Amino acid sequence: MKNNLTVLQNFIIGDQRRMNHFLSTKGISCTAKVLGDVEWIVNYKRNDQYYPTVKQKYNELLPHWKEVRILEDNDFTWAKSTLALLKHVKTPYVFYLIEDRMFYQTTKGEMETIVQELADNDIGFLLIGKISKYGLSRHPEWIKVNNFPAYEMESENLWIFRSKNAPLRVLSNDAIYRVDVLKKSLERIIDKKEKIPRVLEMEFNWLINGWPELKQAVPKNYIIVSDDDPGHELGV
């Protein structure tokens, strides 16, 4: 997995609830058991009260993490700073990891298999969230009622489709990207002034028309969860 995937983060811990989760058994200690062997490129973008703890835990749990500081000031934008971080990535795939994603039901072996299937099938984009809506079957109910076609292809753990048939109307930052796909996606919004990753989701999914034959995928089952998923809550 370490030869195929790098974790990238450009973030802050937003409040004490998020810090409590970060330090819980569902937080960074759990994530490190699954992704601790890959390189992490991390920008914690403020010198706030949470930064020393985050750095301490990363030093303790992530032997291959690399800190790249791009502090949030008046000129900071998410697109430009994330593109600068991407220059440090040496693998073909990059996982833009949100700090509240949870791996407590995921094994390292399961994650390794998913990443290998991405590489073997030359997938450009893997959605991580909203699996109850987009995953779980070849033709999920939401996709069916909105007149999108069933997924065209599959591997052992992925439903695979071409961009021109994508049911995803916006690109999610919460995803695993082939590096060239994320790079082009960031370059398209490089003049946007927003400081948050949601800027990537503020316009129509350009891959549908701009890269119609690119293969995308969704997991067949939950591999990563968040408190948005039914039955899952942040750690305390």
Side-chain angles (χ1 to χ4, degrees):
M1 184 162 61
K2 66 182 180 180
N3 294 323
N4 282 321
L5 186 70
T6 299
V7 173
L8 190 150
Q9 290 187 301
N10 188 10
F11 79 114
I12 57 168
I13 300 291
D15 54 36
Q16 189 59 48
R17 177 170 176 261
R18 298 284 168 176
M19 175 53 77
N20 292 343
H21 166 72
F22 178 82
L23 294 174
S24 77
T25 57
K26 293 182 180 179
I28 187 61
S29 61
C30 183
T31 304
K33 291 177 182 177
V34 178
L35 293 171
D37 288 343
V38 307
E39 186 171 34
W40 290 49
I41 306 297
V42 179
N43 177 38
Y44 192 92
K45 58 184 183 176
R46 294 180 188 170
N47 283 322
D48 61 15
Q49 70 269 35
Y50 303 125
Y51 168 64
T53 302
V54 171
K55 185 169 183 177
Q56 176 188 345
K57 296 302 289 186
Y58 278 27
N59 284 336
E60 175 186 334
L61 297 169
L62 301 173
H64 308 293
W65 87 289
K66 178 179 180 179
E67 184 176 31
V68 181
R69 298 304 302 279
I70 308 173
L71 292 179
E72 188 178 65
D73 57 18
N74 290 336
D75 296 323
F76 178 96
T77 72
W78 181 82
K80 288 181 180 178
S81 57
T82 303
L83 189 60
L85 296 175
L86 195 61
K87 293 178 181 178
H88 295 270
V89 173
K90 306 179 187 70
T91 55
Y93 287 92
V94 59
F95 186 172
Y96 189 87
L97 181 59
I98 308 298
E99 69 278 2
D100 60 3
R101 295 299 149 186
M102 295 182 282
F103 293 79
Y104 67 94
Q105 294 184 340
T106 309
T107 68
K108 181 181 176 182
E110 287 170 338
M111 195 69 196
E112 287 174 337
T113 298
I114 292 288
V115 173
Q116 190 60 53
E117 288 182 28
L118 293 179
D120 291 345
N121 292 281
D122 194 28
I123 304 300
F125 174 86
L126 175 71
L127 183 70
I128 293 299
K130 297 184 173 64
I131 300 306
S132 60
K133 182 177 181 179
Y134 294 113
L136 305 182
S137 72
R138 182 180 286 275
H139 205 186
E141 187 63 24
W142 185 90
I143 293 175
K144 188 183 301 181
V145 300
N146 284 279
N147 298 316
F148 293 105
Y151 296 134
E152 308 162 61
M153 299 162 275
E154 64 179 300
S155 63
E156 181 180 356
N157 294 286
L158 303 174
W159 298 115
I160 301 170
F161 51 94
R162 289 171 292 175
S163 290
K164 64 184 180 182
N165 295 320
L168 316 173
R169 300 292 91 183
V170 297
L171 271 186
S172 174
N173 57 281
D174 185 18
I176 296 178
Y177 284 83
R178 206 173 66 202
V179 167
D180 61 324
V181 177
L182 181 56
K183 182 174 183 289
K184 290 182 180 180
S185 299
L186 292 169
E187 289 171 344
R188 293 184 74 258
I189 60 169
I190 200 66
D191 294 325
K192 300 287 187 180
K193 303 302 182 184
E194 282 79 6
K195 300 180 184 295
I196 59 174
R198 294 295 182 193
V199 63
L200 198 61
E201 303 177 358
M202 291 178 181
E203 60 179 59
F204 187 73
N205 181 356
W206 75 276
L207 296 174
I208 293 173
N209 297 316
W211 208 331
E213 297 299 323
L214 180 78
K215 286 191 285 186
Q216 301 186 35
V218 296
K220 289 183 176 179
N221 295 294
Y222 292 98
I223 55 168
I224 301 159
V225 296
S226 77
D227 57 333
D228 293 330
D229 294 313
H232 297 279
E233 297 180 349
L234 296 180
V236 293

